Amino acid sequence: MTNGTQGPRCGPPGYDRYPHLFSEGRFGRLTLRNRIIMAPMGTGFATPDGRVTDRHLHYYAERALGGVGMVITEVVGVEGDIDPTPAGNLLRLDSDLQIAGFSDLARVIHDHGAAACIQLTPGFGRQGQAPPGRGLVSSSDIPSFTDPKTTARGLSREEIARLVQAFGEAARRAASAGFDAIEIHGHAGYLVDQFLSPLWNTRTDEYGGSLDNRVRFAVELIGSVRQRLGPDFPVSFRFSADLKVPGDRPLEEARAIARRLVEAGATALHVDAGCYEAMPWIFPPLYFGRGPLVTLAAAVKEVVDVPVIAVGNIFEPALADQVLADGQCDFVASGRGLIADPEWPRKALEGREDELRRCIMCNEYCVGNLLAGKPLGCVVNPRAGREKYYEVRRAETPRRVVVVGGGAAGMQAACTAAERGHTVVLFEKSDRLGGQLLLASAPAFKRALTYPLEHLRTRLEKLGVEVRLRTEATPQHIARERPDAVIVATGARPAGAAVPGADKRHVVKAWDLHRPRPGLEKPARFAAALGALGLGARGDGPTRGEGEAERRPAPVEGDRVVVAGGGLVGCETALDLARQGKQVTVVETLPEAAGDLNPVNRTALLGLLAEADVTVLTGHRITAVVDEGLKVVGPDGRERVVEADTVVLALGSEPEDELARELRREYARFFVVGDCAEPRRLGEAIHEGFVAGLQV
Ligand SMILES: Cc1cc2nc3c(=O)[nH]c(=O)nc-3n(C[C@H](O)[C@H](O)[C@H](O)COP(=O)(O)OP(=O)(O)OC[C@H]3O[C@@H](n4cnc5c(N)ncnc54)[C@H](O)[C@@H]3O)c2cc1C
Ligand SMILES: Cc1cc2nc3c(=O)[nH]c(=O)nc-3n(C[C@H](O)[C@H](O)[C@H](O)COP(=O)(O)O)c2cc1C
Ligand code: SF4
């Protein structure tokens, strides 16, 4: 199929700027208003018996209103007797009694002009969590992923037939609830994939062995839908073209599967990668860059004549338009990009790219929350999943608000207060806004952390917040403003001074390595890239005339470096240095490095450290810095020196809370937010800033 882009359309600037993205697209018998599809994402909002809640309705309505062509819902279970795992806080459409809730869901999506597609699963198989007293199932008797000591039981043919039947019945219910399309959840190593892949399928009957046999279950699921909904009801099949596990699925086999699925009646293919053994590919972290799976979609598109959907870190309108223009896919699906900014399609269409709130691919509050059994949220978008609860309304009494600190917490607090109609003054003692975000975004693989910085800086400017740079706020400064409310967001400073020998000449703090070096010009390539994104220093903003610092870490002496502290900052600093050609060792006291990261990004980061030949010593207590390097005590209780030319300290941070303590009793409306309350992470800084901005 061609990607069907039409000629120029009149209207908002997006039609000219992104002609492919904003052209209508055929999706089976449907015509979608553009090529952007919301990717399916579990939310954790369902009731314990799998019903749709108001929280779902507000969350999905906001994303449909944001301008996508079609919403694919989170995964929905079709039965719970055979495969016990699509239960708990997952949605279920296993009874006619559930239809009413799903009708509401389809309606709110339609009300805002998007088509509604429901994603259905026959089960999670070995990747599920067995409830007490129940075992997991799979294609064959194989170890469960979550508890490899236990075996997931191979399904009997009779059970397969019942699952196929239940799947068709759920599809029938979905259509009667008003959904326009069905997507089959056949990817990422879940139950359908456990049939497709010989990694897990060792059956000797007609469901195992040859490719045709392994595809049989998937084909029967498509058939079951077709039998009930006829030949032209749109059915997308989501599958992983590459499981990213050594020894599995060469591309040719993935393409053969794609052809079989289309022959069986799939009207679209949604191409993904990864499985739980290679989880970062399912939720590509920032280290993988943008659009890391597009080439897989392109390879599938070469062999089928139905629309192909590409997914994975595609939320930049220019990139999305480009991959469509290049004919690599027919639609782009965006998941986390729409959690972070439900309105990104509309903003791109209306030429408001400078307002985009881009996802930073951190996986902290979206996947991280779900893996921890909590409902979805978002680090950069405090309203995600709380759309109704966190409405930003005009304040009845406009107030004068002083915010101290121009890091993420202070900038967010100032923006939210100003959005509510308050008059806001923000003090920042350094010569630029950003606080730790300036350091966090320094390594090349962390540039995504410039997104919240640029977003908040632009918002401050548009909202008319008065930013006073190079002003260290004291109680006297603040009193002179006669504020009705004060928000202190003075952040943190690096810890580590207490380590004996920390003052030696060859010791440097990780924070100082990443500090922007004033006076240097931005490298032209980085400046151009930011320009193309509509980012970068703006001539008339609060940073006018300052120029950006070069965003490379300061040089480190010698070839051998030891990083003391193996949390997020230590591990990323080590990766950055290793990529500059240094021989790096990380020393961490805890049994696990990068333990402060969610499991997805942690796995990816540890993999990259291994690739870069970084030695990671866990369970090693740091005792002192010595001239030869770092003195440590290993798990065997023996002391030794890890030799190095430079010792980098990444031992956490401590709050800059002196001002907050001084002011605590001075103001009735007084808030302490972000790292100065307690050093933590960006998510807490933004969320606390947001809530303080709502409450002043
Ligand atoms: C290298 C590095 C990497 C990181 N990577 C990540 C990551 O990947 N993900 C993540 O979630 N978190 C990360 N973090 C942590 C995250 O950046 C911080 O938790 C968050 O940015 C804290 O924001 P904040 O506004 O509370 O404080 P800060 O960013 O510290 O901002 C405080 C601001 O207040 C100013 N200030 C202080 N006192 C005064 C005063 N008296 N008057 C005026 N101004 C004052 C300071 O100059 C500073 O600009 C990283 C941190 C570092 C250092
Ligand atoms: C919180 C969360 C939940 C997800 N749940 C599902 C799901 O229910 N079904 C599914 O097929 N994929 C699911 N995914 C994967 C996404 O559909 C998507 O493939 C992935 O997030 C990569 O795309 P993105 O970079 O646009 O987010 C989920 C992803 C996230 C972040
Ligand atoms: S929590 Fe992080 S990865 Fe998830 S949507 Fe928000 S910014 Fe993106």
Side-chain angles (χ1 to χ4, degrees):
M1 130 149 200
T2 67
N3 66 11
T5 301
Q6 296 142 2
R9 287 160 74 185
C10 298
Y15 287 137
D16 285 337
R17 271 183 219 166
Y18 314 112
H20 305 88
L21 192 58
F22 290 110
S23 69
E24 289 180 345
R26 296 282 300 166
F27 193 88
R29 68 184 184 189
L30 302 174
T31 300
L32 307 188
R33 62 182 163 184
N34 59 42
R35 303 304 180 102
I36 309 164
I37 293 177
M38 177 171 167
M41 287 178 296
T43 58
F45 300 160
T47 60
D49 59 346
R51 285 170 197 263
V52 173
T53 60
D54 273 0
R55 199 167 177 184
H56 279 116
L57 302 183
H58 294 295
Y59 167 82
Y60 282 108
E62 196 148 313
R63 274 126 197 112
L65 180 65
V68 293
M70 181 163 80
V71 170
I72 307 179
T73 67
E74 65 203 82
V75 66
V76 176
V78 302
E79 74 85 53
D81 288 338
I82 299 170
D83 184 323
T85 51
N89 59 2
L90 284 173
L91 283 173
R92 297 170 66 154
L93 190 43
D94 54 358
S95 123
D96 283 2
L97 295 174
Q98 303 277 45
I99 294 176
F102 281 89
S103 300
D104 292 341
L105 186 50
R107 180 180 40 76
V108 296
I109 295 170
H110 287 150
D111 280 353
H112 298 294
C117 174
I118 187 168
Q119 190 187 60
L120 298 176
T121 182
F124 289 3
R126 68 183 284 273
Q127 290 186 172
Q129 302 263 7
R134 304 228 14 217
L136 295 177
V137 296
S138 184
S139 56
S140 318
D141 290 349
I142 47 165
S144 113
F145 173 84
T146 24
D147 182 4
K149 292 189 297 302
T150 62
T151 300
R153 172 181 66 76
L155 289 168
S156 69
R157 287 147 127 181
E158 186 263 329
E159 286 172 319
I160 294 173
R162 276 169 50 208
L163 274 181
V164 168
Q165 190 70 7
F167 199 88
E169 281 303 291
R172 173 189 61 76
R173 291 179 195 113
S176 69
F179 281 90
D180 308 295
I182 307 270
E183 179 167 276
I184 299 176
H185 179 258
H187 73 132
Y190 290 104
L191 184 61
V192 178
D193 233 347
Q194 291 159 36
F195 278 83
L196 288 175
S197 171
L199 273 181
W200 304 299
N201 186 342
T202 56
R203 296 177 76 100
T204 51
D205 62 5
E206 69 272 30
Y207 291 97
S210 68
L211 179 66
D212 272 353
N213 282 357
R214 283 183 275 125
V215 176
R216 192 176 306 280
F217 181 45
V219 165
E220 288 180 356
L221 293 174
I222 299 171
S224 186
V225 178
R226 289 265 162 262
Q227 198 190 349
R228 287 162 180 84
L229 301 180
D232 66 344
F233 193 88
V235 177
S236 162
F237 194 100
R238 191 165 213 216
F239 85 111
S240 299
D242 187 346
L243 291 169
K244 300 285 183 188
V245 176
D248 186 72
R249 202 168 291 174
L251 185 59
E252 266 329 301
E253 176 161 320
R255 303 215 281 189
I257 293 174
R259 280 192 294 260
R260 275 301 283 125
L261 296 171
V262 173
E263 279 160 25
T267 40
L269 295 178
H270 191 167
V271 180
D272 195 18
C275 59
Y276 276 22
E277 273 84 356
M279 208 182 255
W281 289 100
I282 310 180
F283 319 100
L286 72 176
Y287 312 118
F288 291 10
R290 305 229 203 102
L293 310 178
V294 171
T295 49
L296 288 176
V300 169
K301 186 167 157 52
E302 279 171 11
V303 299
V304 295
D305 59 359
V306 297
V308 167
I309 310 169
V311 72
N313 295 353
I314 311 174
F315 48 77
E316 197 59 56
L319 172 68
D321 193 66
Q322 191 60 53
V323 298
L324 291 162
D326 292 346
Q328 293 182 286
C329 56
D330 302 287
F331 291 90
V332 293
S334 172
R336 292 164 299 166
L338 286 162
I339 300 179
D341 191 345
E343 266 197 288
W344 84 248
R346 182 178 296 276
K347 288 175 181 171
L349 181 65
E350 293 173 358
R352 295 189 285 134
E353 289 89 338
D354 62 338
E355 292 178 26
L356 292 175
R357 184 176 48 227
R358 293 170 172 86
C359 165
I360 57 171
M361 302 161 276
C362 64
N363 285 324
E364 284 296 335
Y365 287 5
C366 52
V367 189
N369 273 14
L370 293 193
L371 291 174
K374 294 188 282 190
L376 163 153
C378 175
V379 163
V380 299
N381 177 10
R383 293 189 61 246
R386 299 179 174 101
E387 285 74 15
K388 188 70 192 150
Y389 182 64
Y390 277 159
E391 278 179 313
V392 182
R393 296 213 185 91
R394 297 283 302 172
E396 278 168 24
T397 319
R399 299 200 160 92
R400 185 161 174 79
V401 180
V402 164
V403 177
V404 185
M411 288 195 287
Q412 179 66 59
C415 286
T416 307
E419 272 175 52
R420 300 194 57 228
H422 300 304
T423 303
V424 186
V425 179
L426 185 152
F427 290 107
E428 167 53 50
K429 72 176 174 188
S430 76
D431 64 355
R432 69 195 67 211
L433 291 167
Q436 291 172 60
L437 278 177
L438 293 165
L439 321 182
S441 59
F445 53 83
K446 287 289 293 283
R447 291 284 146 78
L449 272 84
T450 58
Y451 301 160
L453 168 54
E454 290 299 334
H455 173 71
L456 290 168
R457 217 148 74 165
T458 307
R459 293 290 300 147
L460 286 175
E461 202 180 318
K462 287 202 172 182
L463 289 160
V465 170
E466 187 185 335
V467 175
R468 296 198 201 150
L469 295 177
R470 299 183 195 85
T471 313
E472 177 157 1
T474 60
Q476 294 73 31
H477 275 110
I478 297 166
R480 246 178 269 140
E481 299 298 320
R482 299 186 180 283
D484 303 307
V486 175
I487 302 174
V488 180
T490 44
R493 56 182 164 254
V499 177
D503 54 351
K504 284 185 181 287
R505 205 191 53 80
H506 64 312
V507 178
V508 55
K509 292 194 169 114
W511 285 40
D512 294 329
L513 275 185
H514 298 305
R515 262 186 226 291
R517 286 184 288 153
L520 294 176
E521 287 303 312
K522 251 192 310 186
R525 209 151 48 93
F526 180 50
L530 285 180
L533 301 177
L535 296 175
R538 292 169 309 280
D540 56 353
T543 53
R544 176 172 16 198
E546 287 163 356
E548 288 284 325
E550 185 173 3
R551 305 191 59 80
R552 268 194 295 112
V556 162
E557 274 180 33
D559 286 336
R560 298 166 313 160
V561 182
V562 60
V563 178
L568 162 69
V569 172
C571 287
E572 288 188 342
T573 304
L575 180 61
D576 200 23
L577 291 168
R579 287 186 173 178
Q580 292 167 44
K582 306 288 180 192
Q583 211 182 300
V584 189
T585 303
V586 176
V587 178
E588 168 59 42
T589 309
L590 296 173
E592 185 176 56
D596 49 348
L597 266 180
N598 64 79
V600 180
N601 285 36
R602 182 195 308 143
T603 306
L605 181 55
L606 295 181
L608 293 173
L609 287 174
E611 255 175 46
D613 278 336
V614 172
T615 305
V616 179
L617 301 177
T618 54
H620 282 67
R621 191 164 48 82
I622 295 155
T623 52
V625 178
V626 291
D627 290 340
E628 299 75 28
L630 190 68
K631 208 178 247 187
V632 299
V633 176
D636 55 4
R638 299 237 299 266
E639 192 170 63
R640 71 178 176 105
V641 173
V642 181
E643 291 186 6
D645 305 307
T646 297
V647 177
V648 177
L649 298 184
L651 296 169
S653 52
E654 51 200 29
E656 255 331 320
D657 57 1
E658 295 73 12
L659 184 67
R661 278 193 268 115
E662 254 184 277
L663 293 177
R664 187 144 280 149
R665 291 182 217 294
E666 299 291 316
Y667 298 94
R669 290 178 185 278
F670 182 73
F671 304 84
V672 181
V673 294
D675 275 9
C676 85
E678 182 192 343
R680 285 150 301 158
R681 302 285 291 280
L682 184 58
E684 284 87 353
I686 290 184
H687 282 237
E688 289 171 11
F690 176 79
V691 172
L694 283 187
Q695 290 179 347
V696 286

